[in-house]
Amino acid sequence: MKTLILKPSKKTFNLAKKLITNGELVAFPTETVYGLGANALCDEAVKKIFVAKGRPQDNPLILHIGRKQDIKKYVKNISKTHKLLIKHFMPGPISIIFDKAENLSNVACAGGQTVAIRMPENKVAQKFINYCNLPICAPSANTSKRPSPTNANHVYDDLNGKIKLIIDGGETLVGIESTVVKVENNIIYILRAGKINKQMLEKATKLTVVDKIDSDKIPQSPGTKYTHYKPLCDMIMVKSDIVNNTIKLYDNLVASNKKPIIFCCAANLEAYGNRNIKVLGKNSEDASHNLFNYLRLAENNFDCIIAEYFSNGDMVDGLFNRMIKASSGKIV
Ligand code: AMP
Ligand code: MG
């Protein structure tokens, strides 16, 4: 199968619509990461996503819609708290969990009774979904376990020959996946951290917001139990005595003939002299934007990535969650 990479145009959207209607897959940009979309009403189409990615079948997909008024078509009930979340955060980088309606593919929801719904803010994503005039279920458009794709080339590297079309909308803005939330008894639970953080949810809703990430033995969001975002080389995070420990780790690796690279905060750049460095940015937003791209750039050229913990900005939790997973839990 030949994989086309096309810039957004009327011709591209028409082709995308044709492919989706015929049960094929299309990769598309969103403000978080690139998604791999299929018609959410068709089991056969949705199955192709799991095959193309090598994704475990018990990990449900997010349902992407192009208009808020479509939510009611795919869910059983919309509570007051759901309405507040929709009003404040949609469209945007949030996926909200509802009880699913009967018409949705059981494959997309991994056999569960709930569905995560998201309306992307990205205009190309909205246009693609509305052109198709179908609900589009989509996970990130990477091979399972790999860093998520933040540009069209990342998608091509992972899925070339497996899908027919990638819509190239340039680099994604946020760089890490959506915040996943569920509501129970007027309490909002964060199942996956993202750009919309605990403080933002509390401020907008005036409700209790509970962080369920990594605080439970049984993962609440099924996807969180799998290895994720792993680069091909080793990776380790440094959270305590950051600069000293980073230098120590780096120099020890060099002494044993390894080639390390430091992913650091702009403020610490000077401290590392002429060691191999990639500056992720000045805060957790910049670093989230750059992380997956830099992991893919570094993994083939270095033996180990030593990544600094970022403690500033709005995306501290989301970034830490991705970095610690990419490091397979290795942290000093
Ligand atoms: P991805 O965007 O590829 O990382 O995959 C979607 C994420 O949303 C995964 O972590 C899923 O486990 C999570 N997710 C999707 N649907 C649900 C659901 N109904 N309940 C809980 N988590 C979900
Ligand atoms: Mg993913």
Side-chain angles (χ1 to χ4, degrees), residues 13-30:
F13 289 120
N14 275 324
L15 173 61
K17 176 181 182 170
K18 198 170 131 201
L19 290 169
I20 291 290
T21 311
N22 288 338
E24 298 292 341
L25 308 181
V26 172
F28 62 101
T30 79

Side-chain angles (χ1 to χ4, degrees), residues 81-100:
T81 307
H82 283 131
K83 283 185 185 151
L84 263 181
L85 290 170
I86 294 165
K87 179 175 146 217
H88 286 285
F89 299 107
M90 272 194 186
I94 193 166
S95 301
I96 305 173
I97 295 176
F98 297 86
D99 289 334
K100 89 184 237 323

